[in-house]
Every structure is written in structure tokens, then in C-alpha cells.
């Protein structure tokens, strides 16, 4: 892939893209799913101090506040509740769905929003402005030559194995 | 920090205990009476009992703890005070090893770069108790105490039983609170809106756009109309992550800087009122581009918080400072709330969902809902958010409908304010579950009371819709006069008479009416009339019982109700009897809080 971009204008470029492996629908969907995972993550990076044992001590309470009379023995550490809880979100959602089905009530799944009826708007994956062109290889969009080059050099799926 | 002094709380306590004494029937069977009489030492100034039975009276009980437990921030404070908005999470930073920052402790941290979040919620539900519990411990030890206090807190829609059980255990058993009431944030917002904004009961739609998602919840007859509730999986977290992604791709790698980029989002993003036009302007270079802004990133040395660089003052920026150039990012990011399809999600956006939600509601209510759209949650703070919701919803709906969008002064704390107002309403007494009640009946009781969705029936509202789509009032007008549909509804001004509004769907009704009246009054139209009168008289009943509601009977009924619980769930007859009874004590304003009540207006559970 070292052919100079300048030499690849017009039909020459088209030919070049035909030669490329066209990224199939499954990979495009996988790309979108991966993107959504990143967008829904609490953090992008790993816990910087995952290996360190953090001080689990709850900070001392403010002296300005009235002192608690709560008996010490009633205090349970967070792990106690977590162990007792022992559930995964998908498990809870499934339980909710099953119970709802059984009793005929509404459930979490009923809140799901329908697909949109409005037409999709298309944006350049590089600069974010409106785009008219689709990358023949991977289906992402760009708005012009400059952004196309940038796309080819960076996020184009042709690089994906 | 302003928690009540010991003296004050002592006084309130005695008022409360005296009042409890007024209801001997209710409490005589409780085991903890000893406790109460002990506190009953100084009790001179009592509100007269007659006063407390009036529903509009301000309830002078002990101040409550109001907690709107969001998945990113907690809105916390005593009901006699202002709320604090603090992080509902723990954080780690690169610069300080071995230290966990809990909630607003993060203010003590100097270098916030690479901040790592430990959030308690997944999809809005508390999943990580190892995070939530320490945060609550911190809040109640340092921000306001809960012990022996009534607590009003929020929980998400369909909050799962397992989560409610742990919540009960923590609050009742470990924190030893006095009593608790849980409701959805939208319930509290609806309460605040109808009671303190419009000042009358009305159907409305609450749009809560928060950190995890955006929920659109219609309220009809004071209750959630479950059929119409929709959830869009776009929230503040996704917007921040998206901004992070495009900045990282276009300018500077900031993927690890969620905290900072969230501030960039809050400081620079807005909702466009004319998307195409703004795209055009952002495409200009030079002075014509009025959208582009430079943002000075914090270096955590001289600059702790980033800021938008004012035009022309390039000079004073310290060397080594990093600057972000924000152009179309400023409005394409919040745009995802309106068009999730912009990032390839298939879901509807907020305006489309609101319209969809309206269409799912009974036709009679639809114009009213369009007139009462309330936007709350962090994303409602984006400049232009409300205006855009208005103009988009407006464009979808018939011209003669009035569309009104209300944005509270502070959309973030509006639900909290609703909780505060509710805690000062005398009705709160019947909503709270006391520690004693919890100890007697356990977590399944709180689950029943705080989870109104448990009592919904999917089939019911379809049947009911058939009934309510036949609109008796409108029919009689049509039958008795020669009005055309256009006369009646075409020039309809919803401002004046909102009770008699009709929409396209009523076309069918009209036909049946004409047919009916042509062939004389046949059975079907008569039965419709019957439904109508029956409904009216029921409404009257409800009103009468509202004004002179007797809390003692109420409490007894609640007790009886819960005794019948098992029987109820197994037999439908029992269910109806009990609920027909409880419908009497039902009050319009708190409908959405009573999980066990019976909808007198719609003749079904909602
Ligand atoms: Zn471009
Ligand atoms: Zn490509």
C-alpha cells in the first residue's frame, strides 16, 4: 500500500478499491459494536492501581456532624452486601422479563425504544461534516479527497486483519 | 453543613411521637411502642389532629433526608435545606497511589489527569455494592446523617427486587433510619411540576435525560402510563465518550481523560436550533465561523479546571498549555440525543420518542400531554435543549395542538425538589414505610409498595383503550347537534378547553355514533353512556374521600391489604375487591406513589 495517493485519482483509484478486500457486513457490525462498547464504558483505560491494595477504611466522619449512635456491630462491610447480592445485570434483566411474562405485567424490556423512522444523516468519519461518499472497502464515510486520504491512512477497515 | 441540631431534632421527634399516639389503633399492635413512649417526654405544641387530615396542609414532621441517587451524581440534602450535587462514585487518580477518593473527596485531589471511575451502577441499576455502600457511608457520615430520620430516595424504573432488598437492609438494618419511601425520579418531578409549577393536576410527560439513558414517562390521572414509557439508550456518559473519541481521533489523545472531557462537554457543547445552518457556519474559516472555540485544558499545575478561551486573549496562556479546538463537535455531540442514528444507533431520538409516547396514550389525553412536557436530568442543561425539544415535537404534531416544554431552573435537582416537597406534604405519612413495618413484614412488603409496575397488567390497558377511545363526552355533543368534526376540533384551541379534545383516531368513533343515532339509541352507545356516568360518580367519590380522608382507616386498610397479599396474588377476585376498597382513599396527587391502588379513572391498574 505504498502507491502515492496523488497517482490514484479518478478511475485509477476506483480500480484500486475494487482490488481490495471488501469488508463484509459482519465485520462492519462488529466494528459498530466495538464502537458502542467504547461509548458505553465507564473508563477507557485500565485501573491504574488495580494491583494495589487500596485502603478500605471509610473516612472518619466530620466532627461538625452529630456523632452517630449506630452500634458498631451493625456495621457490615461492603463485601458482605456484594456477596449476598451476587447478581449480574443480565441475570436480573432476565429474571424481570420472566416474571413479567408470567404475571402479564410490564417489564424493563417494554421500555425499549423502537427504531427511528427518520432518514439517517451521513457524516464524514474524519471531520464530522456532512458527507456524500462511502468508502467502498469498509462503508465508512468521508466528505472529500482530504478526508478520504486521512480515512485510508487511519480508521479504514482495510487494515483490519 | 447544616444538619439539624440535636435540640431541634429532639423537638421534632416529640411532635412526631405525639402524633403517632393520635392513632392508637394503628400502632398499638406494634412491638416497638416502648421506644416511642420513651421519646414522648416533652410534647406540648401539637398540631391539631384535624389539621393533619387535610391533604394540602404542610406536614410539620421531622426533616427528611432526600436522596436522588443518580448513577453519576447523588443529589442529597435534608428537606429543610438545599441539595448538594456530589459524585456517586469512587475515583482513583494516576498521581496518588493507594488512595480512593470517595464522592466529593475528589475536590481534595490536585491532579485529576487519568482519573479512573468506579461507578456503582450498570444500566442505571446499582450493581456494585462495594462501591455504593462506601459512597453512602461517606455521604451519611459527612454530608448529612440518616439515622432515625425519614428517608425519601429515588430508584430507577423496574428497580429489581434483589437491589431493593439490599437497599432495605442497608438503610433499615444498618443505618437504622426511621422510615423510607422510594419512588422514581420522574414521579418526584411529576409531583413537583403539578403541585408547584402548574399548581393543578394534569397529565404530563417527564423526560429524564441523565447519565445512563433518557427515559420518557407519561403520567395520566396522576399515574405512570406504563404502555407509553420509553427508554433511549443515550445519556451523558455516551456523549462524553463520543466527544472523547472524536477529539482523540482528530486532535489529541484524550481517551483516558473522561473527567476532563466531561467538563469540556459541559463548558462548550450546546444543542443546535438549526443543525444544517450551524454545520454551514462551522464550515467557514476566519471570523465568519462564530461557532469555533478554543478550550484551554487544565494542566493541574496552574490551571485546575479548563475553560473556554475568550477571543483575542491568546497572550496570557501559560506555556505548555494544551488547547483544544472545538468546532462542529460543540453541537454534533448533543445532537445524538435527538438523532442516535448519527452514530449508527437505530433508536429514535428524544422528540420522536416523545411523539411516539404521546401516540401510545389514550387520544383524549394526547393534547394535554403535548402541553405538559417537562425536561429534567443533566442533559437538559445543554443550552438550546428545551428549545430544540419544543421545535422538533412541534413539527411532528398537528398545528392546532399547543406544545409546551417546561425546563426547571435546575433540571438536575428538580426531582430532588419534588422529593423535598413531597416530604413536607401530609400524604408522606401514608407513603413511608417505617422501620417497625419493615421488621414485621420484611422486604417483600417494601417491594410491593414501592414497585407500582408489579401491579400492571399488559392486557388491561388494551381493553381499557377500547373503552376510552369511545369518548362519551364528545359523542354526546356530536349526537345532539349538527357539528362537523371540523367545527368541533378543526379550530380547536387547546388553551381553553382541554377536557374536550379529540384527535384523528376518533374518526372511528364518529362513524359509530352516526350509525347509532341513525338507528336510534342502541345498546352499544347506551353502555358507553353508562360507563361515562359511572366514571363521573366514581370521580366524585374520590374527591369526597380525598377531602375528608381519614388516615386511621387508611392505615388499617393498608394493613388489611398486606394481610390479604397472598390471597390477592392468587385470586383475581380478591384483587379487585381489595383494590376497589383502596380506591376510596386514593388521592389524585399521590396516585403514582401508591403501588397498590386502583385506578378509578381508567378502571385498571397502571
Ligand atoms: Zn471530512
Ligand atoms: Zn474505509
Amino acid at each position: 500500500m505504498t502507491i502515492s495517493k496523488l497517482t490514484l485519482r479518478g478511475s485509477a483509484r476506483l480500480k484500486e478499491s475494487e482490488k481490495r478486500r471488501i469488508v463484509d457486513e459482519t465485520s462492519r457490525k462488529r466494528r459498530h459494536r466495538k464502537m458502542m462498547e467504547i461509548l458505553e464504558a465507564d473508563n477507557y483505560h485500565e485501573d491504574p492501581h488495580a494491583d494495589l491494595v487500596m485502603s478500605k477504611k471509610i473516612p472518619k466522619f466530620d466532627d461538625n456532624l452529630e456523632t452517630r449512635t449506630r452500634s458498631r456491630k451493625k456495621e457490615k462491610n461492603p463485601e458482605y452486601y456484594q456477596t449476598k447480592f451476587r447478581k449480574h445485570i443480565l441475570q436480573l434483566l432476565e429474571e424481570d422479563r420472566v416474571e413479567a411474562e408470567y404475571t402479564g405485567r410490564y417489564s424493563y424490556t417494554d421500555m425499549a425504544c423502537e427504531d427511528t423512522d427518520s432518514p439517517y444523516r451521513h457524516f464524514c468519519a474524519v471531520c464530522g461534516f456532512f458527507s456524500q461518499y462511502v468508502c467502498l472497502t469498509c462503508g465508512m464515510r468521508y466528505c472529500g479527497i482530504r478526508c478520504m486520504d486521512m480515512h485510508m491512512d487511519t480508521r479504514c477497515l482495510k487494515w483490519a486483519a | 453543613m447544616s444538619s439539624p441540631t440535636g435540640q431541634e431534632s429532639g423537638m421534632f421527634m416529640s411532635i412526631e411521637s405525639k402524633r403517632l399516639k393520635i392513632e392508637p389503633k394503628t400502632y398499638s399492635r406494634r412491638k416497638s411502642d416502648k421506644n416511642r413512649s420513651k421519646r414522648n417526654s416533652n410534647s406540648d405544641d401539637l398540631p391539631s389532629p384535624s389539621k393533619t387530615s387535610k391533604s394540602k396542609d404542610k406536614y410539620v414532621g421531622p426533616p427528611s433526608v432526600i436522596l436522588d441517587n443518580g448513577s453519576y451524581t447523588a443529589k442529597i440534602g435534608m428537606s429543610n435545606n438545599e441539595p448538594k450535587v456530589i459524585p456517586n462514585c469512587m475515583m482513583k487518580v494516576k498521581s496518588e497511589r493507594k488512595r480512593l477518593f470517595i464522592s466529593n473527596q475528589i475536590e481534595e485531589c490536585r491532579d485529576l489527569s487519568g482519573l479512573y471511575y468506579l461507578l456503582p451502577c450498570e444500566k442505571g441499576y446499582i450493581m456494585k455494592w462495594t462501591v455504593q455502600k462506601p459512597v453512602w457511608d461517606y455521604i451519611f457520615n459527612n454530608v448529612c446523617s440518616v439515622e432515625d430520620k425519614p428517608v425519601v430516595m429515588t430508584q430507577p424504573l423496574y428497580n429489581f427486587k434483589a437491589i431493593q432488598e439490599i437497599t432495605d437492609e442497608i438503610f433499615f438494618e444498618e443505618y437504622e433510619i426511621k422510615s423510607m419511601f422510594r419512588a422514581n425520579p420522574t414521579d418526584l418531578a411529576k409531583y413537583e411540576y403539578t403541585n408547584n409549577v402548574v399548581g393543578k393536576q394534569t397529565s404530563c410527560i417527564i423526560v429524564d435525560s441523565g447519565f445512563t439513558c433518557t427515559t420518557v414517562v407519561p403520567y395520566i390521572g396522576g399515574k405512570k402510563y406504563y404502555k407509553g414509557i420509553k427508554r433511549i439508550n443515550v445519556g451523558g456518559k455516551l456523549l462524553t465518550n463520543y466527544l472523547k473519541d472524536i477529539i482523540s481521533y482528530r486532535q489529541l489523545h484524550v481517551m483516558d481523560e473522561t473527567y476532563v472531557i466531561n467538563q469540556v462537554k459541559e463548558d462548550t457543547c450546546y444543542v443546535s436550533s438549526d443543525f444544517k445552518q450551524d454545520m454551514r457556519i462551522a464550515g467557514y474559516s476566519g471570523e465568519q465561523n462564530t461557532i469555533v472555540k478554543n478550550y484551554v485544558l487544565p494542566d493541574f499545575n496552574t490551571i485546575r479546571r479548563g475553560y473556554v478561551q475568550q477571543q483575542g486573549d491568546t497572550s496570557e496562556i501559560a506555556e505548555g498549555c494544551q488547547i483544544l479546538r472545538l468546532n462542529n463537535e460543540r453541537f454534533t455531540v448533543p445532537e445524538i440525543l435527538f438523532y442516535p442514528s448519527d452514530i449508527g444507533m437505530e433508536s429514535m431520538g428524544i422528540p420522536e420518542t416523545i411523539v411516539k409516547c404521546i401516540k401510545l396514550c389514550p387520544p383524549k389525553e394526547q393534547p394535554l400531554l403535548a402541553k405538559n412536557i417537562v425536561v429534567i436530568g443533566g442533559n437538559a442543561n445543554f443550552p438550546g435543549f428545551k428549545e430544540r425539544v419544543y421545535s422538533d415535537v412541534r413539527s411532528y404534531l398537528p398545528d392546532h395542538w399547543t406544545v409546551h416544554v417546561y425546563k426547571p431552573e435546575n433540571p438536575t435537582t428538580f426531582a430532588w425538589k419534588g422529593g423535598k416537597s413531597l416530604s413536607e406534604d401530609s400524604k408522606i405519612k401514608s407513603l413511608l414505610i417505617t422501620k417497625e413495618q419493615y421488621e414485621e413484614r420484611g422486604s417483600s412488603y417494601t417491594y410491593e409498595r414501592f414497585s407500582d409496575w408489579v401491579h400492571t397488567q399488559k392486557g388491561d390497558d388494551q381493553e381499557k383503550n377500547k373503552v376510552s377511545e369511545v369518548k362519551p363526552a364528545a359523542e354526546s355533543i356530536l349526537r345532539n347537534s349538527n357539528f362537523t368534526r371540523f367545527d368541533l376540533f378543526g379550530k380547536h384551541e387547546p388553551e381553553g378547553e382541554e377536557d374536550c379534545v379529540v384527535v384523528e383516531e376518533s374518526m372511528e368513533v364518529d362513524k359509530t355514533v352516526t350509525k347509532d343515532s341513525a338507528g336510534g339509541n342502541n345498546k352499544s352507545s347506551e353502555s358507553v353512556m353508562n360507563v361515562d356516568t359511572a366514571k363521573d360518580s366514581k370521580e366524585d367519590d374520590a374527591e369526597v374521600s380525598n377531602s375528608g380522608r381519614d388516615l386511621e382507616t387508611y392505615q388499617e386498610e393498608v394493613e388489611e391489604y398486606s394481610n390479604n397479599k397472598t390471597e390477592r396474588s392468587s385470586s383475581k377476585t380478591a384483587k379487585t375487591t381489595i383494590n376497589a376498597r383502596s380506591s376510596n382513599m386514593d388521592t389524585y396527587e399521590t396516585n403514582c406513589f401508591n403501588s397498590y391502588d386502583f385506578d378509578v379513572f381508567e378502571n385498571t391498574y397502571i
Side-chain angles (χ1 to χ4, degrees):
Chain A
M1 298 291 170
T2 45
I3 317 152
S4 158
K5 280 148 204 155
L6 283 170
T7 62
L8 276 177
R9 282 279 144 80
S11 60
R13 192 195 281 270
L14 259 176
K15 268 180 208 155
E16 166 70 10
S17 25
E18 274 160 22
K19 268 187 276 170
R20 274 190 211 112
R21 187 175 60 91
I22 307 288
V23 179
D24 63 357
E25 197 53 32
T26 333
S27 326
R28 289 179 191 189
K29 279 199 175 132
R30 197 187 307 127
R31 173 178 64 190
H32 182 249
R33 216 169 37 234
K34 216 175 141 192
M35 159 89 166
M36 290 312 297
E37 265 166 34
I38 291 172
L39 293 186
E40 276 156 20
D42 293 348
N43 302 283
Y44 180 77
H45 56 310
E46 295 296 312
D47 185 343
H49 308 308
D51 49 329
L52 291 172
V53 183
M54 287 288 173
S55 150
K56 286 216 180 84
K57 262 196 169 170
I58 291 143
K60 290 236 165 65
F61 36 93
D62 204 316
D63 291 335
N64 299 328
L65 282 172
E66 50 193 305
T67 328
R68 293 178 307 171
T69 50
R70 197 204 302 176
S71 53
R72 278 275 150 203
K73 67 172 179 225
K74 290 222 165 160
E75 267 185 45
K76 295 189 178 98
N77 66 23
E79 282 76 14
Y80 161 82
Y81 294 105
Q82 191 66 51
T83 319
K84 191 166 183 186
F85 183 65
R86 237 182 36 243
K87 300 258 183 185
H88 189 270
I89 182 76
L90 295 176
Q91 189 187 349
L92 290 173
L93 289 171
E94 182 59 14
E95 282 172 13
D96 178 64
R97 193 190 61 78
V98 169
E99 190 196 300
E101 215 156 81
Y102 183 72
T103 61
R105 69 163 168 91
Y106 284 94
S107 77
Y108 179 87
T109 41
D110 295 307
M111 291 196 289
C113 212
E114 282 88 353
D115 290 357
T116 180
D117 287 330
S118 41
Y120 278 46
R121 307 186 292 191
H122 301 294
F123 302 96
C124 173
V126 179
C127 67
F129 285 100
F130 288 120
S131 86
Q132 296 176 29
Y133 312 106
V134 184
C135 170
L136 291 170
T137 309
C138 74
M140 277 178 103
R141 293 186 165 260
Y142 50 80
C143 65
I145 303 279
R146 238 183 93 222
C147 288
M148 180 182 82
D149 290 343
M150 180 65 153
H151 167 72
M152 295 298 182
D153 291 344
T154 54
R155 285 192 166 177
C156 184
L157 267 192
K158 69 181 178 181
W159 303 115
Chain B
M1 317 259 190
S2 38
S3 76
T5 67
Q7 229 181 349
E8 264 167 5
S9 66
M11 190 189 75
F12 282 125
M13 203 62 77
S14 66
I15 292 170
E16 177 61 12
S17 50
K18 190 73 172 206
R19 188 180 289 154
L20 289 168
K21 227 182 149 191
I22 298 163
E23 303 160 355
K25 266 188 195 169
T26 322
Y27 286 93
S28 55
R29 275 163 268 157
R30 301 284 149 70
K31 48 187 172 187
S32 43
D33 259 5
K34 258 185 270 166
N35 232 341
R36 226 165 254 107
S37 45
K38 199 169 62 194
R39 285 179 196 150
N40 210 4
S41 45
N42 61 338
S43 46
D44 316 62
D45 46 4
L46 289 173
S48 65
S50 61
K51 229 184 156 189
T52 57
S53 61
K54 267 193 177 174
S55 62
K56 275 292 158 198
D57 271 334
K58 217 171 175 188
Y59 169 57
V60 197
S64 312
V65 172
I66 317 291
L67 169 63
D68 180 3
N69 198 55
S71 39
Y72 182 59
T73 58
K75 278 65 75 176
I76 175 77
M78 297 300 296
S79 54
N80 55 0
N81 222 308
E82 289 299 306
K84 281 199 154 106
V85 182
I86 55 174
N88 188 14
C89 58
M90 301 202 283
M91 288 147 280
K92 294 179 184 182
V93 291
K94 276 178 185 158
S95 57
E96 282 190 62
R97 292 159 63 90
K98 291 222 172 198
R99 175 152 189 208
L100 268 174
F101 294 88
I102 303 177
S103 189
N104 63 3
Q105 277 185 332
I106 198 65
E107 288 162 17
E108 299 161 18
C109 177
R110 218 170 63 91
D111 188 349
L112 298 163
S113 59
L115 186 140
Y116 184 85
Y117 285 106
L118 297 155
L119 295 165
C121 296
E122 280 175 49
K123 296 194 185 293
Y125 298 94
I126 305 168
M127 297 300 295
K128 295 192 194 97
W129 298 97
T130 46
V131 176
Q132 185 65 88
K133 177 65 179 17
V135 173
W136 281 345
D137 282 343
Y138 172 82
I139 290 176
F140 298 129
N141 284 336
N142 297 279
V143 184
C144 80
S145 73
V146 268
E147 215 182 314
D148 277 326
K149 297 201 177 75
V151 176
V152 174
M153 77 179 279
T154 61
Q155 64 177 5
L157 258 164
Y158 299 109
N159 195 18
F160 307 115
K161 197 172 184 200
I163 296 173
Q164 295 202 42
E165 277 170 6
I166 302 280
T167 311
D168 281 340
E169 189 175 340
I170 293 176
F171 278 86
F172 283 118
E173 295 180 32
E174 185 173 328
Y175 294 162
E176 300 188 290
I177 58 164
K178 180 186 170 65
S179 52
M180 172 174 273
F181 175 61
R182 285 197 293 270
N184 305 135
T186 53
D187 295 340
L188 301 179
K190 178 244 148 207
Y191 180 88
E192 185 68 10
Y193 178 70
T194 54
N195 284 278
N196 298 327
V197 177
V198 291
K200 61 171 184 190
Q201 298 313 317
T202 176
S203 297
C204 59
I205 292 185
I206 312 287
V207 181
D208 184 358
S209 190
F211 180 68
T212 340
C213 66
T214 302
T215 42
V216 177
V217 185
Y219 285 83
I220 294 173
K223 296 181 172 197
K224 281 194 280 293
Y225 188 71
Y226 270 91
K227 194 184 167 193
I229 299 176
K230 290 291 160 203
R231 168 186 161 124
I232 306 162
N233 288 323
V234 180
K237 177 165 78 170
L238 185 141
L239 300 186
T240 299
N241 282 341
Y242 181 65
L243 182 61
K244 233 166 60 176
D245 181 74
I246 54 179
I247 290 174
S248 298
Y249 182 53
R250 294 173 194 168
Q251 298 182 54
L252 183 72
H253 183 86
V254 289
M255 288 308 281
D256 298 353
E257 305 298 340
T258 315
Y259 186 89
V260 174
I261 300 303
N262 188 48
Q263 291 181 335
V264 175
K265 179 190 79 179
E266 289 174 359
D267 294 347
T268 65
C269 286
Y270 70 95
V271 177
S272 170
S273 57
D274 184 344
F275 189 70
K276 280 184 186 162
Q277 174 69 5
D278 280 0
M279 277 297 229
R280 209 171 300 127
I281 296 170
Y284 296 146
S285 55
E287 279 186 8
Q288 272 184 298
N289 185 345
T290 48
I291 286 166
V292 68
K293 285 235 174 349
N294 283 341
Y295 189 87
V296 182
L297 287 170
D299 60 359
F300 299 115
N301 188 19
T302 49
I303 310 161
R304 195 176 181 276
R305 198 193 200 285
Y307 57 92
V308 175
Q309 186 184 359
Q310 294 310 307
Q311 266 167 345
D313 90 297
T314 41
S315 52
E316 59 182 76
I317 284 154
E319 225 172 279
C321 250
Q322 282 177 307
I323 291 179
L324 288 180
R325 186 174 177 273
L326 294 146
N327 196 17
N328 62 29
E329 295 84 358
R330 289 187 61 208
F331 58 92
T332 53
V333 170
E335 192 69 16
I336 302 170
L337 291 163
F338 296 83
Y339 286 97
S341 56
D342 283 0
I343 54 161
M345 293 174 79
E346 281 150 350
S347 155
M348 290 177 173
I350 291 176
E352 212 182 344
T353 308
I354 293 174
V355 172
K356 173 84 190 179
C357 162
I358 291 175
K359 292 270 156 74
L360 284 168
C361 291
K364 190 184 84 178
E365 302 288 341
Q366 293 179 0
L368 254 183
L369 291 167
K371 258 175 76 178
N372 293 283
I373 300 168
V374 182
V375 291
I376 61 163
N379 297 324
N381 288 303
F382 281 123
F385 180 89
K386 175 190 126 173
E387 292 75 11
R388 178 64 180 279
V389 170
Y390 169 80
S391 62
D392 281 13
V393 170
R394 172 74 280 171
S395 71
Y396 279 112
L397 292 176
D399 286 346
H400 61 275
W401 287 19
T402 307
V403 175
H404 185 253
V405 179
Y406 173 75
K407 181 185 128 182
E409 201 184 314
N410 188 340
T412 309
T413 55
F414 193 66
W416 186 93
K417 269 178 78 182
K420 171 199 161 88
S421 308
L422 179 69
S423 78
E424 289 163 351
D425 189 318
S426 61
K427 282 179 218 82
I428 189 67
K429 283 204 290 181
S430 57
L431 298 172
L432 287 165
I433 288 183
T434 63
K435 187 169 184 289
E436 291 76 22
Q437 283 174 315
Y438 167 77
E439 279 162 1
E440 256 174 58
R441 292 154 185 179
S443 212
S444 55
Y445 180 62
T446 58
Y447 181 66
E448 284 254 330
R449 288 273 304 269
F450 298 152
S451 318
D452 51 7
W453 56 88
V454 172
H455 308 284
T456 58
Q457 273 295 321
K458 267 184 174 179
D460 280 8
D461 68 14
Q462 257 118 50
E463 280 165 41
K464 174 207 62 200
N465 261 356
K466 268 183 221 152
V467 179
S468 65
E469 259 162 31
V470 183
K471 272 177 301 315
E475 263 176 50
S476 48
I477 298 169
L478 282 171
R479 202 185 304 124
N480 298 332
S481 40
N482 291 323
F483 287 145
T484 64
R485 269 184 51 76
F486 184 77
D487 286 337
L488 274 177
F489 314 119
K491 292 171 186 166
H492 175 66
E493 273 306 317
E495 277 304 337
E497 312 159 359
E498 42 203 48
D499 292 329
C500 167
V501 251
V502 174
V503 281
E504 277 101 74
E505 281 89 328
S506 52
M507 210 55 152
E508 282 174 53
V509 174
D510 296 350
K511 277 180 204 152
T512 52
V513 171
T514 352
K515 225 171 79 188
D516 287 350
S517 47
N521 273 349
N522 70 15
K523 266 190 181 167
S524 82
S525 66
E526 234 169 47
S527 65
V528 166
M529 289 308 286
N530 286 343
V531 169
D532 190 24
T533 33
K535 209 177 97 183
D536 282 347
S537 64
K538 265 195 183 174
E539 273 174 48
D540 290 343
D541 279 352
E543 257 168 51
V544 170
S545 66
N546 280 356
S547 47
R549 204 174 105 196
D550 179 18
L551 281 170
E552 261 178 55
T553 346
Y554 179 85
Q555 287 285 2
E556 267 178 71
E557 300 231 29
V558 169
E559 264 178 38
E560 237 175 282
Y561 154 79
S562 63
N563 291 340
N564 286 331
K565 207 166 50 187
T566 14
E567 189 191 330
R568 188 173 153 276
S569 48
S570 55
S571 115
K572 205 162 185 180
T573 348
K575 208 171 172 182
T576 330
T577 338
I578 289 150
N579 282 286
R581 182 153 23 93
S582 43
S583 69
N584 277 340
M585 50 195 181
D586 194 10
T587 67
Y588 188 92
E589 297 96 278
T590 46
N591 267 342
C592 62
F593 303 123
N594 293 327
S595 55
Y596 40 81
D597 58 10
F598 188 76
D599 190 343
V600 283
F601 305 103
E602 305 292 358
N603 217 31
T604 183
Y605 299 99
I606 286 298

